[in-house]
Amino acid sequence: MYTNAVYYPNWRVYRNQPPSSLNFGMISHVFYAFARIDDDGSICLSDSWADDEMEVDGVKGCLRSFAALKKIPSNTHVKVILSVGGGGAGSDKFPLMAQDPTTRTRFADSARAMVDKYELDGIDIDWEHPSDAIQGTNFLSLLQCLRAALPAPRYLLTSALPAGEWALQYIPLAPAAQLLDLINLMAYDFFGPWSPIAGHQAALYAPTPDTPCANTAIEYLVKCGVPCSKILLGIPVYGRSFLGAQAAGQAYAGSAGDEGTFEFRDLPRNDAVEQVDLQLGAAWCVGTNEAGGWISYDVPETVRVKAAYAKERGLAGLFYWTVTGDSVAERSLVMAGYRELHSVE
């Protein structure tokens, strides 16, 4: 049975997307994003109102909603995992916490307490990302503490990792993989506003040898001793904008949208024309600057290509950041991945 996992960001409950809005028939795991690290090294909720207090689906808080929803007979296959960290400030406290045995233990103990309190299935570490060999060693020590506090198979321990040797090189990947149940490979954001040229932000294969892509990252993990059976291939449920460009490899004048992105549900925009390259496993649309310019993203066709690749390589499956940006019916990326992984027409 392949994993078809999604990240659910807690802030989307404020946009009328409560946990009950998810299609659990297509989902095996939900990573609840995000918890944070308190000043003393313990885990704390990032939004206690959304997570624990507001009325959601007839209970108090999104976490209890997920706990209740997965008890419904049709949903008992779903695992809900609390993700700690995230991009930017969400990961700032990892280095200090992970370097000290006392705070590592406090973090692990609080993780167990949090998981048990909300009837969850485990913890996901989204440290973005260990930036040198010392932090990589501390990352491994943190996983060891967590595994002791969250023994398998009762509890799941996972981690989101960047899809680039520039970051992965600092992590002891083989011993980390022995402790982890799943590695969520963030195989997206290969290009963005930080890039000198426009490019496919989540291509499966590279158009040129020096272009980053998901396959190269998978090959690196495997070379470093990570079992394919523990790798989830990440799918972005958003597109990255490059104003003024007409194709990958071109110069561009800036980015449009929220932080240079548009949710997949809103693509293509206005008069933009969508195109797909099944050989690369990449899609894009081209429109006016008002439409976002040249936008790189995934579509159901490319997700099916990636799901077929996951099956061929013996990967654990796919995950999506984030489920709340998905479209509906035949346009749904999550549905496309599920159907291909499980050979459903």
Side-chain angles (χ1 to χ4, degrees), residues 187-191 194 201-202 235-241 258-265 267 295-298 321-322 325-326 333:
Y188 39 80
D189 289 346
F190 293 131
F191 288 84
W194 55 87
Q201 69 127 339
I235 307 288
V237 194
Y238 60 91
R240 286 208 166 272
S241 162
D258 181 14
E259 298 181 348
T261 67
F262 293 98
E263 291 192 333
F264 174 68
R265 65 171 65 227
L267 296 173
I295 304 176
S296 167
Y297 55 103
D298 269 300
W321 175 267
T322 72
D326 199 14
L333 301 184

Side-chain angles (χ1 to χ4, degrees), residues 46 146 158 160 217 219 247 253 285 301 322:
S46 63
L146 282 164
T158 70
E219 295 285 5
C285 64
E301 295 92 331
T322 72

Side-chain angles (χ1 to χ4, degrees), residues 14-343:
Y14 299 120
R15 299 191 193 177
N16 197 32
Q17 290 181 289
S20 60
S21 67
L22 275 59
N23 183 354
F24 290 102
M26 304 287 176
I27 295 167
S28 61
H29 296 63
V30 177
F31 297 101
Y32 187 91
F34 286 108
R36 301 299 192 206
I37 303 172
D38 213 341
D39 290 340
D40 66 354
S42 61
I43 293 178
C44 62
L45 300 177
S46 63
D47 182 344
S48 59
W49 177 249
D51 300 335
D52 184 68
E53 299 169 24
M54 72 181 295
E55 189 79 12
V56 182
D57 298 328
V59 296
K60 293 292 186 180
C62 290
L63 288 169
R64 290 190 184 88
S65 172
F66 275 116
L69 288 165
K70 69 190 185 83
K71 292 176 183 176
I72 295 173
S74 60
N75 297 342
T76 54
H77 65 284
V78 177
K79 304 296 185 182
V80 181
I81 300 161
L82 183 64
S83 186
V84 186
S91 289
D92 284 351
K93 293 182 180 179
F94 270 114
L96 187 62
M97 177 274 292
Q99 73 180 9
D100 185 279
T102 300
T103 49
R104 284 199 302 264
T105 300
R106 185 176 295 131
F107 180 91
D109 290 344
S110 68
R112 171 66 177 266
M114 189 81 75
V115 168
D116 288 347
K117 176 180 179 179
Y118 293 105
E119 301 178 79
L120 305 177
D121 297 289
I123 289 289
D124 175 54
I125 298 299
D126 191 359
W127 178 353
E128 299 185 18
H129 47 80
S131 59
D132 56 41
I134 293 175
Q135 289 189 12
T137 299
N138 293 339
F139 171 78
L140 181 63
S141 297
L142 176 63
L143 295 184
Q144 291 168 338
C145 276
L146 282 164
R147 189 79 278 181
L150 299 164
R154 163 63 183 88
Y155 299 97
L156 296 174
L157 180 59
T158 70
S159 183
L161 295 181
E165 184 176 349
W166 55 273
L168 293 172
Q169 63 180 319
Y170 300 120
I171 299 172
L173 290 167
Q178 291 181 357
L179 296 164
L180 293 165
D181 295 292
L182 292 169
I183 289 174
N184 302 345
L185 185 68
M186 297 183 283
Y188 39 80
D189 289 346
F190 293 131
F191 288 84
W194 55 87
S195 308
I197 57 173
H200 298 295
Q201 69 127 339
L204 179 58
Y205 294 107
T208 62
D210 60 345
T211 303
C213 69
N215 180 64
T216 299
I218 295 287
E219 295 285 5
Y220 182 79
L221 287 179
V222 173
K223 182 182 73 172
C224 291
V226 176
C228 286
S229 60
K230 290 192 174 185
I231 302 172
L232 293 181
L233 179 60
I235 307 288
V237 194
Y238 60 91
R240 286 208 166 272
S241 162
F242 302 88
L243 296 174
Q246 295 294 308
Q250 293 184 356
Y252 65 101
S255 300
D258 181 14
E259 298 181 348
T261 67
F262 293 98
E263 291 192 333
F264 174 68
R265 65 171 65 227
D266 298 324
L267 296 173
R269 304 179 72 243
N270 302 335
D271 60 348
V273 177
E274 190 168 86
Q275 300 179 54
V276 181
D277 186 330
L278 295 180
Q279 298 301 312
L280 290 181
W284 62 93
C285 64
V286 185
T288 62
N289 281 350
E290 288 71 26
W294 190 83
I295 304 176
S296 167
Y297 55 103
D298 269 300
V299 294
E301 295 92 331
T302 60
V303 172
R304 285 193 286 270
V305 168
K306 292 180 178 183
Y309 170 92
K311 293 168 71 174
E312 180 182 348
R313 292 298 304 265
L315 304 186
L318 306 176
F319 81 87
Y320 307 81
W321 175 267
T322 72
V323 65
T324 52
D326 199 14
S327 191
V328 297
E330 296 303 314
R331 183 76 173 166
S332 166
L333 301 184
V334 175
M335 180 181 290
Y338 175 85
R339 286 179 169 177
E340 182 64 35
L341 286 173
H342 298 95
S343 302

